Amino acid sequence: QFVASQQPVQVAVAGDPVVGPPNATLRIVEFSDFRCPVCQRASKLNHIVLTNHRADAALFFKHFPLDTACNDRIQRQLHPGACQLAAATECAHLQGKFWALHDRIFEEGKDYQMAKLEADVRALGLDVARFSACMSSGEGMEAVKRDIAEGGKVNVTSTPTYVINGIRISGV
């Protein structure tokens, strides 16, 4: 009944981090925030869903940090530092390590300290100079802002928000 009452939406996912076959019959797009405690719990649920549907599900990750430093679609600051963490994972994505850094940050959740980032980047085997150049140039933040804009198109207002086969669902 819920699905039948919803207006389907389209989310552009080209170039976004994905787990599973990108052309899967079950397409899940998650708008998330690394400082969001509910998103931290949702990341564990995502893993369970994907484990049970390896061949027919794909999870695409989109950033929607509830941090006014980069997100002009929110009215008040909820998760300071979330924009920087999001940008860092995009810089890791350029080196094929998005999910490794994603998982590392969500291990600690909202208490993850930016001071640990360089050590984690090294431990994950990223080219630190390339990572630092990406962060300094704003390239990672540009990707985050594209995700925020895409979230605005489908009326994302909170995290996590999922779009499952075109149906927007807020929360877990």
Side-chain angles (χ1 to χ4, degrees):
Q1 194 173 34
F2 171 78
V3 171
S5 69
Q6 300 301 304
Q7 182 71 26
V9 298
Q10 294 289 324
V11 179
V13 294
D16 287 331
V18 60
V19 173
N23 59 349
T25 55
L26 178 60
R27 292 173 54 95
I28 305 165
V29 179
E30 178 189 18
F31 288 87
S32 189
D33 175 333
F34 286 107
R35 294 270 191 224
C36 165
V38 178
C39 297
Q40 180 185 17
R41 291 190 298 276
S43 72
K44 292 174 176 57
L45 176 64
N46 295 343
H47 177 71
I48 292 167
V49 168
L50 292 170
T51 297
N52 291 319
H53 297 277
R54 288 183 203 277
D56 59 349
L59 173 70
F60 296 86
F61 189 93
K62 290 280 202 189
H63 300 281
F64 200 82
L66 301 178
D67 179 353
T68 56
C70 68
N71 191 341
D72 61 358
R73 299 194 177 272
I74 60 170
Q75 301 304 312
R76 63 186 177 98
Q77 180 72 288
L78 293 174
H79 300 139
C83 292
Q84 283 300 105
L85 289 175
T89 62
E90 284 299 319
C91 289
H93 181 47
L94 293 175
Q95 294 187 47
K97 298 283 187 169
F98 172 85
W99 292 106
L101 188 54
H102 165 282
D103 293 349
R104 178 67 195 104
I105 293 169
F106 271 138
E107 281 175 21
E108 292 185 38
K110 66 180 181 60
D111 297 323
Y112 185 88
Q113 299 298 313
M114 287 298 290
K116 296 178 65 177
L117 186 60
E118 186 174 334
D120 284 341
V121 164
R122 283 185 195 286
L124 293 173
L126 279 84
D127 177 328
V128 177
R130 187 172 160 206
F131 177 86
S132 295
C134 174
M135 290 293 286
S136 296
S137 73
E139 186 175 4
M141 189 62 72
E142 288 174 20
V144 172
K145 288 184 178 186
R146 282 191 301 272
D147 285 355
I148 292 167
E150 194 68 21
K153 291 177 187 174
V154 297
N155 200 28
V156 172
T157 59
S158 63
T159 56
T161 292
Y162 290 92
V163 177
I164 302 173
N165 285 356
I167 303 301
R168 189 178 63 81
I169 302 169
S170 294
V172 179

